[in-house]
Amino acid sequence: MRRLIVLALIGLAAQLVDGSLGMAYGVTSTSLLLLFGISPAIASASVHMAEVVTTAASGISHIRFGNTDKQVVYKLIIPGSIGAFIGAFFLGSIPGDIIKPYVSIFLLILGIYVIYRFMFFKFHPSEQQSKKIMGKKHYVPLGFIAGFFDSVGGGGWGPITTPVLLTSSQMEPRKVIGSVDTSEFVIAISATLGFLLTLGWEQIHLQWVGALMIGGIIAAPIAAWLVKIIPANLLGTLVGGIIIITNIRTLLGSFNASQTIYIFTYLVLSFLWIAAVIHVILKMRKMS
């Protein structure tokens, strides 16, 4: 029972972050399940099954708060679903840890750029800007790659699609986050189907899935409300920090870094991230 309560709290915290910053539910939840000794495939399958419900709740909340761009959602779900389904099969034969470090390097670069963009440039959303988005041909590889790595790594849809859309379009950060979270519902379904075909129902921990679902459902409307009221520059800086912090762990793990290096790296990055957030807040106050 204690473990189920902990999982529900983790699901709540993960969805609160995911719904307000567009990422981290899968990464957070999968990391916890791996700590419990579950294999990567079963951990990813359990998280994606929980995400079928949590992403539905999150998507509905974002739609009600006006945080989504329907055209972006439609362009992402088809290639993303295909990638997620193939990734679920792929995970059964090749460890996701082999691929993760390369994705993390790419995400770290994007995270640094996102922070730079929102720290030093004031975002002026307009109706014309919000429609100036990437061409259709760019959404196909983005959706496929993000869906594939989401299944393989137990989380990746948000960390890949959110920074790319933030750096490659003129969409408001809240609409980027809302669109990514809404489209993730279909991605979770596709990944779950792929895992069920390869693993079967008997290997899925349904109680753990249920605990993660409950926490996520509670947090979904709160997160959708937060993303609507947080200023764009501050939200972008928070997103950039999450991208960096989330992926540096994968890189350090791939190099078998010591605990001392882990602590030092996190302290330095946390200090710089807090400084960036304070800089944005002070800048916004001067302009108000």
Side-chain angles (χ1 to χ4, degrees):
M1 178 60 68
R2 182 180 299 177
R3 176 175 292 183
L4 293 178
I5 294 174
V6 171
L7 283 170
L9 292 175
I10 291 296
L12 188 150
Q15 184 58 44
L16 192 62
V17 174
D18 186 272
S20 57
L21 296 179
M23 63 191 73
Y25 182 90
V27 173
T28 303
S29 303
T30 302
S31 298
L32 176 68
L33 294 180
L34 292 177
L35 287 177
F36 288 157
I38 302 178
S39 69
I42 297 177
S44 183
S46 301
V47 169
H48 280 91
M49 188 174 293
E51 283 185 323
V52 172
V53 175
T54 60
T55 53
S58 181
I60 292 171
S61 300
H62 278 299
I63 291 172
R64 291 189 63 182
F65 280 100
N67 296 335
T68 59
D69 185 319
K70 293 182 180 179
Q71 294 301 316
V72 173
V73 174
Y74 295 150
K75 292 175 183 176
L76 285 173
I77 56 177
I78 295 178
S81 298
I82 297 173
F85 189 81
I86 295 175
F89 276 90
F90 184 75
L91 183 59
S93 57
I94 299 180
D97 291 339
I98 296 178
I99 305 172
K100 275 188 176 181
Y102 301 101
V103 181
S104 296
I105 293 173
F106 170 68
L107 295 175
L108 279 173
I109 295 173
L110 286 178
I112 294 170
Y113 179 77
V114 168
I115 287 184
Y116 172 78
R117 176 182 177 182
F118 287 97
M119 275 185 66
F120 299 105
F121 296 94
K122 185 172 177 59
F123 194 85
H124 293 284
S126 66
E127 189 68 23
Q128 183 176 3
Q129 282 180 318
S130 64
K131 292 182 180 179
K132 185 181 178 183
I133 55 178
M134 298 187 303
K136 187 180 295 185
K137 63 180 180 180
H138 297 105
Y139 283 95
V140 174
L142 173 61
F144 180 84
I145 292 171
F148 179 84
F149 284 114
D150 188 73
S151 290
V152 172
W157 180 254
I160 292 177
T161 54
T162 297
V164 170
L165 290 178
L166 281 173
T167 57
S168 304
S169 72
Q170 294 296 324
M171 292 174 63
E172 296 176 70
R174 69 181 183 91
K175 288 204 170 185
V176 169
I177 292 167
S179 300
V180 169
D181 272 9
T182 302
S183 60
E184 192 172 9
F185 167 67
V186 182
I187 307 313
I189 292 177
S190 298
T192 299
L193 291 175
F195 281 121
L196 288 177
L197 288 175
T198 55
L199 299 176
W201 282 98
E202 61 276 3
Q203 296 195 53
I204 308 297
H205 298 268
L206 295 180
Q207 287 184 324
W208 295 13
V209 172
L212 291 170
M213 283 182 180
I214 292 172
I217 291 172
I218 295 173
I222 302 174
W225 171 72
L226 286 175
V227 77
K228 189 174 179 65
I229 66 172
I230 299 176
N233 286 68
L234 179 58
L235 186 59
T237 305
L238 289 171
V239 170
I242 286 290
I243 296 168
I244 294 172
I245 295 295
T246 300
N247 291 282
I248 195 65
R249 180 178 179 276
T250 301
L251 288 178
L252 291 176
S254 64
F255 290 109
N256 296 319
S258 65
Q259 189 68 23
T260 302
I261 295 178
Y262 266 94
I263 295 174
F264 178 77
T265 303
Y266 281 127
L267 286 175
V268 171
L269 289 177
S270 298
F271 174 79
L272 293 175
W273 187 22
I274 293 171
V277 171
I278 293 174
H279 171 80
V280 171
I281 293 174
L282 293 176
K283 190 175 181 180
M284 289 189 302
R285 286 184 177 179
K286 289 181 180 179
M287 292 179 177
S288 60

